[in-house]
Amino acid sequence: MKDYFSHDYNARNDKKLVKVAMKHGMTGIGTFWCISEMLYEENGQLAITECERIAYELRIDKELILSILNDFDLFKIKNGVFFSESIARRL
């Protein structure tokens, strides 16, 4: 397994990520990328019940994790897990 993933150099201009930055600042952007890294590490999906652990690892509030997952159409939630369709394609 590779220990890196493709990252578009202009991802910060994606309208969804701009909305994340507007609401949560760079903390939100960093949270998005950390969640993305974790999804790659876990073969593309994580249980929604892992949000508290993720928040602890990132030293942020669980509410921020839930907002990133629910409010910006960046991730899908189905059958108790969350995932990114673009990460799933790249995996």
Side-chain angles (χ1 to χ4, degrees):
M1 179 193 218
K2 297 178 189 177
D3 59 355
Y4 64 91
F5 62 91
S6 175
H7 173 104
D8 297 336
Y9 71 87
N10 64 343
R12 73 186 180 286
N13 295 317
D14 180 278
K15 290 178 184 180
K16 294 175 185 177
L17 289 180
V18 170
K19 288 180 181 180
V20 170
M22 288 171 60
K23 183 169 183 180
H24 298 297
M26 292 308 290
T27 300
I29 298 296
T31 300
F32 165 77
W33 286 113
C34 286
I35 291 170
S36 296
E37 289 177 3
M38 291 174 174
L39 286 171
Y40 274 98
E41 293 166 351
E42 298 295 328
N43 294 314
Q45 63 182 25
L46 282 162
I48 198 73
T49 57
E50 290 291 299
C51 288
E52 191 168 350
R53 179 191 59 82
I54 293 168
Y56 174 79
E57 284 186 26
L58 300 180
R59 306 303 193 263
I60 57 175
D61 291 330
K62 181 180 171 183
E63 290 73 28
L64 177 56
I65 300 291
L66 293 172
S67 176
I68 299 298
L69 294 179
N70 291 305
D71 297 343
F72 303 99
D73 197 33
L74 292 163
F75 300 97
K76 303 292 182 196
I77 300 173
K78 190 181 223 181
N79 299 325
V81 299
F82 67 91
F83 59 95
S84 161
E85 290 177 337
S86 65
I87 290 174
R89 279 193 306 274
R90 288 181 172 116
L91 284 172

